[in-house]
């Protein structure tokens, strides 16, 4: 599938559709990150989005475009947590029955959040492939509609509305640093930015443990990955060997990718807490980590870092902050 099968027009249409359901999140100037990197750094705070992550944008666009018959038959999805929470929230708003298939690696606090929104939760195996197979079985047996976490034009267009906001709020943007997993967030944002100006640099940031899109881009084709436990749990999982949209978008529009270790992700989460009093999950902090650890050359530039989610276990975050404080002494 060609990357140009999704257009800027689709992103503008998505914005009109989802505006009543999402927040236009703040773009916060980060003085400490700016001083550290020698750039003008702004944080796009999707961690303050309704449901705590950017995923609501895509989920809202997809569910709001379902037919009445599709709504009546219910929806099913696969999630590491944030997408499932977004689907559950929108399904509750629209009166749609939702089933979320997850793996055993999804943290308890994310499971609880999905269940509290009325979704049926099914633990189906130890990896995303197992969970997806179970979800597809439900599609076949019950006629439910599958809501892809990332590889769907409506999902990608919804996430791309962040790119529109960045262009409007920071028109002098030189570089965008975006968390990279399945590519729905990256694909939508990169499409919006590169359509406006091909010179805007787009950098993807991932965890070093099982970075599916990074490895697939290196290989020139979608490749399977071994899922490992990581602080950036929202970025784990494969991109699908039959990927139709996001792989092509990332190959066309992403200029470079960077990987962060678990210690570097922990440092980024702690930095967000101490410097800006922000609760940021590991997957949402990788862009901050890229700047903290000099992974992206941005000196003198205007830089936007997408802070994609804040659904973190607070006890874990406090443990990381305490360990960091001890190591600084």
């Amino acid at each position: 599938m060609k990357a140009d099968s999704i257009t800027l027009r689709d992103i503008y249409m998505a914005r009109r559709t989802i505006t009543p359901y999402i927040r236009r999140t703040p773009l916060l100037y980060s003085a400490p990150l700016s001083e550290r990197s020698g750039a003008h750094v702004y944080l796009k705070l999707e961690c303050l989005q309704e449901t705590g992550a950017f995923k609501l944008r895509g989920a809202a666009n997809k569910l709001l475009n379902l037919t009445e018959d599709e709504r009546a038959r219910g929806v099913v999805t696969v999630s590491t947590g944030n997408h499932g929470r977004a689907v559950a929230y929108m399904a509750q708003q629209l009166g749609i029955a939702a089933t979320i298939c997850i793996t055993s690696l999804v943290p308890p606090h994310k499971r609880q959040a999905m269940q509290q929104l009325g979704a049926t939760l099914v633990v189906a195996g130890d990896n995303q492939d197992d969970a997806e197979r179970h979800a597809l079985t439900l599609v076949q047996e019950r006629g439910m509609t599958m809501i892809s976490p990332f590889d769907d034009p409506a999902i990608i267009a919804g996430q791309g509305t962040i790119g529109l906001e960045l262009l409007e709020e920071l028109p002098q943007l030189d570089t965008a640093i975006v968390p990279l997993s399945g590519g729905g967030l990256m694909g939508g944002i990169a499409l919006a930015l590169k359509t406006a100006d091909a010179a805007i640099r787009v950098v993807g940031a991932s965890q070093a443990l099982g970075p599916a899109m990074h490895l697939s881009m290196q290989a020139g084709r979608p490749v399977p990955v071994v899922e490992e436990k990581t602080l950036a749990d929202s970025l784990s999982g494969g991109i699908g060997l039959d990927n139709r949209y996001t792989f092509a978008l990332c190959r066309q529009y992403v200029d470079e990718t960077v990987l962060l270790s678990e210690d570097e992700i922990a440092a980024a989460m702690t930095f967000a807490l101490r410097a800006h009093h922000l609760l940021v999950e590991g997957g949402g902090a990788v862009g901050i980590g890229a700047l903290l650890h000099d992974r992206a050359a941005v000196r003198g530039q205007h830089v936007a870092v997408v802070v994609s989610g804040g659904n973190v276990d607070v006890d874990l975050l406090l443990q990381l902050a305490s360990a960091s404080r001890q190591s600084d002494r």
Side-chain angles (χ1 to χ4, degrees), residues 3 180-184 186-187 190 213 217 245-255:
L180 178 61
S181 179
M186 172 60 85
M213 185 62 79
M217 290 171 66
Y245 303 101
T246 60
F247 177 69
L249 283 166
C250 289
R251 283 195 79 184
Q252 179 170 341
Y253 292 124
V254 176
D255 295 295

Side-chain angles (χ1 to χ4, degrees), residues 191-215:
L191 171 61
L193 298 182
K194 292 286 192 177
T195 302
D197 186 349
I200 296 175
R201 180 165 155 246
V202 180
V203 178
S206 296
Q207 79 288 4
L209 299 177
M213 185 62 79
H214 168 85
L215 294 174

Side-chain angles (χ1 to χ4, degrees), residues 218-300:
Q218 282 191 328
R221 68 186 189 284
V223 297
V225 296
V226 176
E227 292 181 42
E228 302 180 63
K229 189 172 183 179
T230 171
L231 287 171
D233 55 88
S234 62
L235 303 184
S236 64
I239 68 168
L241 299 184
D242 58 348
N243 187 286
R244 300 180 63 195
Y245 303 101
T246 60
F247 177 69
L249 283 166
C250 289
R251 283 195 79 184
Q252 179 170 341
Y253 292 124
V254 176
D255 295 295
E256 61 186 278
T257 59
V258 299
L259 302 181
L260 285 90
S261 71
E262 294 298 292
D263 287 344
E264 290 167 340
I265 295 170
M269 296 167 69
T270 301
F271 173 88
L273 179 64
R274 290 179 175 168
H276 294 296
H277 302 153
L278 291 171
L279 301 180
V280 181
E281 62 187 280
V286 289
I288 293 173
L291 292 182
L292 284 178
H293 300 285
D294 301 318
R295 298 301 172 79
V298 295
R299 184 165 295 276

Side-chain angles (χ1 to χ4, degrees), residues 6 9 12 29 36 47 93 106 119 136 191 194 264 271 278 305 313 324:
I6 304 166
R9 185 199 300 268
Y12 273 106
Y29 178 73
R36 188 159 186 158
C47 56
Q93 295 289 307
V106 173
L136 291 174
L191 171 61
K194 292 286 192 177
E264 290 167 340
F271 173 88
L278 291 171
V305 177
D313 182 332
S324 173

Side-chain angles (χ1 to χ4, degrees), residues 84-141:
R85 185 171 179 175
V87 170
Y89 175 84
M90 282 305 303
Q92 186 182 65
Q93 295 289 307
L94 301 174
I96 300 172
T99 298
I100 317 296
C101 298
I102 65 170
T103 77
S104 59
L105 298 176
V106 173
H109 71 281
K110 291 191 174 183
R111 298 187 191 193
Q112 183 179 16
M114 289 183 276
Q115 290 174 318
Q116 287 178 339
L117 289 168
T120 299
L121 210 60
V122 178
V123 180
D126 297 324
N127 58 63
Q128 288 289 94
D129 291 338
D130 290 341
E132 184 173 5
R133 278 191 289 270
H134 187 80
L136 291 174
T137 298
L138 294 179
V139 170
Q140 294 174 349
E141 293 178 349

